[in-house]
């Protein structure tokens, strides 16, 4: 088959499979098969750049970072909605518009879940996604085309028939499970957490570097178009059907309601299922179905007369702030936690709330004894929205961020420009306990029988002070403990035995080193031949690894340079703990143990592509000529690196030789 034909075929197949996966949720091939097709397309497109089209699935990986966001004017303003909070408000809305129209609205209403994400506009010209932007102030937003292209459920090309120009509007959001997962890996890496799925979605989309957006699990639902006349639809429900036919994801909880009673029923239905949905909704949007009626009704200031947002009842409550406790996390971050008079919010009793950090405390100007408004937004940790300053009696006490660690007493530090106050003492008992919990948890080595509760118990009993103690637990003493017996002690010991040879990446992630999450740990495992080698790796060498940034490199160097760390590893090693290298040693890894440097221009491959090939073949990349480098791939106009490589007698190969080597 000709390359052009094969490229087109792969593009079509991949588009179809991506649609089945992301929109229909019913894939017909495995992830591995998809990846193989994708790789084939990448290679072909690299070889024939003139055949790459803007709707190729390879355009989804995220382009180069932007210096800043460009501003985009919305051709048709993106309006906001007025709110309804009760059935009465809903009926008032219907009465208002019937009075305005001087007729009954017999064509009914579209009742749609109100997704809690952020509004975007996506423009398709001749079926092709050409521009995407945020809502901004409604008139002007920020251009996020490359970011939006990385979202799998958004088609790069519409399925025909489609109008020559259509400006789709909808909501980008993150599912609750994905949000929790993202936050736990951020926590493991010592990065600040997102407060809720909406913030996570917004923070992920508004990234100057589209590859960051690509790494975040964002999704999209379409709910409208800037101009209804662009399709032949006569009603909102017809429009949604057409959008779906064009390949856009549309919520399946949209209801075509005849009467306002049916609208009210649908609201109650959404209210019951809301917590079972995989994503957050904060209410329902009601729209007059008929487009002719919509245009007769028009817009009042910034919101249309033909639609209203019927919000779910407030998940907020008023209570008293009794006290503030300062908790020390695993990486030493000191977080203020509010103790509240227990109060029922959205079906759950809330007695604690996170106050995040010192800046949050100052911004909210809270005092102990204050009457406060607390909120529980879906799945997330309850938070204090504000204090009612007018309810103060004068007996309230200011909240002081401590100068010293509440656990070990050492002086806390707050680096300039960072929101987080930290205890830097690696020997701090609170950090030790948190580290122990993390080490044994699912995110760590997943030691069965050492869940949080049991780690706490053993810590309090004095059997566990630091990670190496895990491997020295005495089964006889364990069996005597409250809630334990001979069998559970024996089982635990077996599980601990199994945790003596963890894969290196797993072990690194379990240690809970700041900025070293699971993914970074894997990069390190791929790069180093042994744990010993990693421990002495200098900062500059770490920085040469693709994907390791300054923060991670410095954090690692600091960690390994610490005396306590050294002592801990000595104890671990004495207890027989040996992290193992999880390298595959098969024919799939023809570049096993080889380290490549690229210099000069390549002809058949891009640099990124070549690097990717090296990694996939089990090799490593270095950006400068060092002792470890085994091969230097010299392309056109190779400069000083080539000279240095020659001087050091490194093996120098050209692009063809490289390709042969990679293909084994
Ligand atoms: S219609 C004029 N439909 O709610 C119509 N909006 O203030 C304006 N939203 O941030 C929007 N789900 O992104 C509409 N099914 C839905 C929606 C929806 C969520 C968001 C929208 C905007 C806010 C409206």
């Amino acid at each position: 088959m000709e390359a052009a034909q094969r490229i087109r075929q792969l593009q079509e197949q991949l588009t179809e499979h991506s649609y089945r996966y992301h929109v229909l949720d019913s894939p017909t091939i495995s992830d591995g098969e998809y990846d193989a097709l994708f790789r084939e397309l990448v290679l072909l497109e690299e070889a024939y750049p003139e055949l790459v089209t803007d709707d190729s699935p390879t355009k989804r990986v995220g382009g180069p970072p932007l210096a800043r966001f460009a501003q985009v004017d919305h051709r048709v303003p993106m309006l906001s909605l007025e709110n309804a909070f009760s059935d009465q408000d809903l009926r008032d809305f219907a009465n208002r518009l019937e009075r305005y129209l001087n007729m009954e609205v017999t064509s009914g209403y579209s009742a749609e879940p109100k997704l809690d994400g952020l509004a975007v506009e996506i423009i398709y010209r001749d079926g092709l996604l050409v521009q995407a932007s945020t809502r901004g102030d409604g008139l002007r937003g920020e251009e996020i085309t490359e970011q939006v292209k990385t979202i799998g459920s958004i088609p790069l090309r519409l399925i025909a028939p489609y109008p020559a120009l259509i400006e789709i509007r909808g909501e980008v959001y993150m599912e609750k499970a994905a949000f929790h997962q993202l936050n736990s890996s951020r926590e493991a890496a010592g990065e600040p957490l997102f407060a809720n799925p909406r913030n996570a979605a917004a923070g992920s989309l508004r990234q100057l570097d589209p590859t960051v957006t690509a790494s975040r699990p964002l999704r999209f639902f379409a709910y409208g178009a800037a101009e209804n006349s662009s399709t032949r639809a006569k009603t909102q429900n017809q429009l949604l059907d057409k959008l779906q036919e064009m390949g856009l994801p549309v919520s399946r909880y949209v209801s075509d309601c005849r009467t306002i009673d049916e609208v009210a029923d649908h609201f109650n239905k959404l209210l019951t299922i809301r917590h079972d949905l995989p994503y957050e909704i904060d209410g329902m949007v009601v729209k007059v179905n008929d487009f002719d009626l919509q245009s007769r009704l028009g817009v009042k200031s910034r919101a249309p007369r033909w639609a209203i947002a019927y919000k779910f009842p407030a998940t907020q409550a008023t209570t008293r702030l009794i006290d503030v406790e300062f908790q020390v996390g695993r990486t030493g971050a000191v977080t203020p936690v509010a103790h509240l008079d227990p109060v029922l919010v959205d079906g759950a009793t809330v007695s604690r709330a996170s106050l995040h950090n010192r800046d949050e405390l100052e911004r909210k100007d809270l005092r102990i004894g204050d009457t406060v408004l607390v909120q529980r937004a879906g799945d997330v940790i309850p938070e204090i929205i504000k204090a009612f300053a007018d309810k103060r009696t004068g007996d309230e006490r200011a909240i002081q961020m401590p100068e010293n660690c509440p656990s070990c007493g050492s002086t806390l530090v707050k680096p300039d420009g960072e929101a987080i106050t930290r205890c830097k003492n690696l020997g701090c008992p609170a950090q030790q306990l948190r580290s122990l919990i993390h080490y044994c948890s699912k995110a760590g080595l997943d030691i069965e029988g050492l869940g949080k509760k049991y780690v706490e118990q053993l810590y309090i009993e004095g059997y566990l002070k630091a990670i190496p103690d895990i491997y020295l637990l005495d089964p006889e003493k364990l069996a005597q403990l409250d809630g334990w017996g001979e069998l559970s002690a024996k089982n635990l010991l077996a599980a601990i035995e199994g945790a003596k040879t963890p894969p290196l990446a797993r072990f690194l992630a379990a240690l809970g080193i700041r900025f070293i999450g699971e993914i970074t740990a894997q990069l390190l495992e791929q790069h180093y031949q042994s744990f010993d080698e990693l421990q002495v790796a200098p900062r500059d060498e770490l920085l040469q690894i693709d994907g390791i940034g300054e923060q991670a490199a410095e954090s690692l160097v600091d960690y390994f340079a610490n005396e306590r760390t050294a002592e801990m590893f000595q104890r671990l090693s004495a207890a027989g703990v040996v992290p193992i290298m999880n390298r595959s040693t098969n024919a799939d890894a023809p570049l096993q143990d080889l380290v490549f440097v690229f210099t000069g221009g390549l002809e058949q491959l891009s640099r990124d592509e070549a690097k990717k090939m090296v990694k996939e073949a089990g090799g490593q990349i270095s950006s400068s000529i060092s002792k470890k480098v085994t091969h230097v791939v010299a392309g056109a106009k190779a400069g000083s690196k080539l000279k240095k490589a020659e001087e050091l007698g490194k093996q120098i190969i050209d692009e063809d030789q490289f390709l042969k080597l990679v293909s084994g």
Side-chain angles (χ1 to χ4, degrees):
M1 197 186 300
E2 256 194 69
Q5 222 181 334
R6 180 64 182 154
I7 286 181
R8 196 62 232 158
Q9 188 184 47
L10 284 168
Q11 287 178 346
E12 277 166 17
Q13 284 177 356
L14 286 162
T15 301
E16 167 75 16
H17 289 307
S18 162
Y19 174 68
R20 289 188 148 279
Y21 182 88
H22 291 288
V23 182
L24 303 182
D25 211 5
S26 68
T28 49
I29 60 172
S30 69
D31 292 0
E33 285 167 313
Y34 183 92
D35 292 343
L37 293 176
F38 194 89
R39 271 200 301 275
E40 186 186 348
L41 180 59
V42 167
L43 288 179
L44 275 172
E45 286 187 346
E46 295 276 2
Y48 301 93
E50 68 281 6
L51 296 178
V52 183
T53 54
D54 281 344
D55 61 343
S56 171
T58 56
K59 293 276 169 167
R60 287 197 189 274
V61 290
L66 311 173
R68 58 178 191 88
F69 290 108
Q71 298 282 318
V72 198
D73 289 324
H74 300 299
R75 217 170 49 86
V76 179
M78 292 181 79
L79 301 172
S80 54
L81 293 171
E82 285 192 1
N83 292 326
F85 297 102
S86 64
D87 274 11
Q88 191 52 52
D89 289 351
L90 178 67
R91 283 171 211 283
D92 288 348
F93 157 75
N95 292 337
R96 229 170 18 239
L97 49 96
E98 293 195 333
R99 229 177 305 128
Y100 188 94
L101 293 167
N102 198 19
M103 62 176 269
E104 232 178 284
V105 178
T106 50
S107 47
Y109 302 89
S110 175
E112 311 171 3
K114 185 171 184 298
L115 277 122
D116 204 8
L118 71 158
V120 296
E121 172 170 84
I122 309 175
I123 305 180
Y124 289 88
R125 219 179 271 283
D126 297 320
L128 202 63
L129 191 165
V130 290
Q131 191 183 72
S133 53
T134 60
R135 177 171 180 274
D137 63 4
L139 301 174
R140 216 159 191 233
E142 285 171 332
E143 183 182 346
I144 44 163
T145 313
E146 290 310 312
Q147 289 78 359
V148 158
K149 279 185 176 177
T150 67
I151 301 175
S153 56
I154 296 180
L156 300 180
R157 174 181 287 282
L158 298 176
I159 299 169
Y162 43 73
L165 172 71
I166 186 163
E167 292 140 318
I168 305 288
R169 279 150 187 206
E171 200 86 351
V172 167
Y173 66 96
M174 191 180 285
E175 289 198 339
K176 296 181 214 171
F179 158 74
H180 289 303
Q181 217 167 19
L182 176 64
N183 258 358
S184 32
S185 59
R186 288 175 74 82
E187 186 172 24
E191 289 164 344
L193 304 188
F194 289 113
N196 53 46
R198 187 192 50 235
N199 286 3
S204 301
L205 197 56
R206 284 193 73 264
Q207 283 284 344
L208 287 169
D209 182 352
T211 58
V212 175
T213 311
S215 73
R216 304 276 172 82
L218 294 175
R219 287 172 170 257
F220 177 73
F221 272 132
Y223 56 65
E227 256 168 322
N228 296 324
S229 55
S230 57
T231 66
R232 293 228 181 83
K234 296 221 174 319
T235 67
Q236 168 70 7
N237 286 122
Q238 283 176 14
L239 173 71
L240 293 180
D241 285 345
K242 293 217 184 228
L243 296 184
Q244 195 155 23
E245 282 161 20
M246 288 179 211
L248 290 156
V250 171
S251 167
R252 55 196 196 89
Y253 296 99
V254 174
S255 173
D256 187 354
C257 299
R258 296 285 96 200
T259 62
I260 212 73
D261 284 339
E262 282 181 38
V263 174
D265 282 349
H266 192 61
F267 180 80
N268 287 327
K269 196 172 131 202
L270 288 179
L271 200 53
T272 6
I273 62 165
R274 105 181 254 209
H275 291 298
D276 302 324
L277 293 178
Y279 42 81
E280 287 196 339
I281 59 177
D282 58 347
M284 179 178 80
V285 181
V286 188
K287 301 171 184 170
V288 167
N289 216 352
D290 188 302
F291 286 152
D292 287 339
L293 292 185
Q294 283 191 8
S295 27
R296 277 180 59 194
L297 285 160
V299 174
K300 189 178 80 185
S301 66
R302 303 293 298 281
R305 281 197 192 80
W306 47 265
I308 199 159
Y310 188 175
K311 295 297 241 344
F312 287 143
T315 51
Q316 294 183 336
T318 302
T319 185
R320 221 172 65 91
L321 175 59
I322 305 173
D323 200 4
V324 173
E325 172 197 355
F326 292 89
Q327 281 187 352
V328 186
R330 176 167 51 79
T331 56
V334 177
T335 324
V337 176
H339 290 220
L340 305 165
D341 249 346
V343 60
L344 204 63
V345 193
D346 192 22
T349 304
V350 171
S351 57
R352 291 156 81 83
S354 168
L355 295 167
H356 304 296
N357 54 52
R358 177 187 292 204
D359 294 352
E360 273 286 293
L361 265 186
E362 281 169 14
R363 204 171 54 73
K364 289 187 177 148
D365 184 30
L366 300 175
R367 318 215 175 137
I368 292 168
D370 265 343
T371 304
V372 293
L373 185 67
V374 292
Q375 170 168 294
R376 201 178 147 237
D379 269 14
V380 298
I381 305 162
E383 56 174 351
I384 295 183
I385 302 295
K386 61 165 188 176
F388 295 99
D390 54 338
K391 296 212 170 149
R392 285 190 181 138
T393 61
D395 291 339
E396 294 76 16
R397 279 187 295 127
I399 301 165
Q400 285 290 329
M401 200 69 192
E403 304 274 319
N404 297 88
C405 174
S407 174
C408 71
S410 63
T411 311
L412 297 178
V413 292
K414 180 174 183 282
D416 280 342
E418 275 187 39
I420 296 171
T421 305
R422 244 170 238 288
C423 165
K424 293 288 235 183
N425 171 17
L426 285 184
C428 167
Q431 286 185 56
Q432 296 272 15
L433 173 59
R434 297 268 159 186
S435 302
L436 276 164
I437 293 172
H438 175 75
Y439 187 85
C440 302
S441 75
K442 287 215 161 60
L445 296 191
D446 196 9
I447 304 178
E448 208 174 319
L450 276 185
K452 184 167 183 248
K453 212 175 83 190
Y454 293 102
V455 174
E456 278 170 354
Q457 184 190 16
L458 297 179
Y459 182 83
I460 291 166
E461 292 289 340
Y463 293 158
L464 288 183
K465 286 198 180 68
I467 290 170
D469 300 334
I470 296 170
Y471 298 95
L472 304 174
L473 285 172
D474 178 348
E476 276 166 32
K477 283 190 188 154
L478 281 180
Q480 307 298 316
L481 286 175
D482 232 22
W484 292 74
E486 262 174 46
L487 185 65
S488 42
K490 197 177 124 224
N491 287 343
L492 177 60
L493 248 62
I496 290 171
E497 194 58 34
K500 281 190 178 168
T501 48
L504 180 63
R506 211 51 207 276
F507 180 64
L508 284 174
L511 291 173
I513 307 163
R514 204 173 161 217
F515 297 118
I516 312 297
E518 217 178 289
I519 295 178
T520 314
Q522 269 161 18
L523 291 174
L524 293 167
E525 174 176 315
Q526 276 158 26
H527 201 85
Y528 286 94
Q529 308 299 324
S530 69
F531 184 46
D532 292 343
E533 205 181 310
L534 169 64
Q535 288 184 63
V536 295
R539 179 179 171 278
D540 288 347
E541 188 181 292
L542 291 163
L543 280 174
Q544 282 173 28
I545 304 172
D546 238 12
I548 306 275
E550 305 230 347
Q551 287 179 317
E554 268 160 31
S555 169
L556 266 182
V557 172
D558 280 358
Y559 182 80
F560 287 125
N562 194 293
E563 261 175 52
R564 284 186 168 279
T565 312
E567 191 200 311
M568 177 176 80
F569 287 136
Q570 263 166 24
R571 289 189 61 208
L572 279 173
S573 152
V577 179
V578 194
I580 51 168
M581 312 299 287
N582 214 3
R583 280 171 207 286
S584 49
T585 45
N586 54 30
D588 284 354
L591 304 190
Q592 182 84 44
D593 300 335
L594 303 185
V595 181
F596 287 76
V597 166
F598 287 90
T599 174
L602 301 175
E603 274 169 17
Q604 305 163 56
L605 301 168
S606 74
R607 264 291 168 87
D608 286 342
E609 180 57 23
K611 287 183 180 174
K612 198 162 149 236
M613 287 168 79
V614 170
K615 285 186 211 151
E616 281 172 359
Q620 295 164 48
I621 303 287
S622 171
S623 56
S624 64
I625 312 278
S626 67
K627 208 171 73 201
K628 288 190 347 206
V629 172
T630 59
H631 289 73
V632 176
V633 184
K637 301 211 180 89
S640 61
K641 277 188 205 162
L642 179 59
K643 239 177 92 194
K644 187 165 175 204
E646 278 165 349
E647 281 165 16
L648 292 174
K650 299 282 175 194
Q651 186 159 357
I652 297 162
I653 58 175
D654 65 16
E655 193 172 346
D656 284 331
Q657 289 168 312
F658 168 71
L659 284 169
K660 279 205 196 99
L661 208 61
V662 178
S663 57

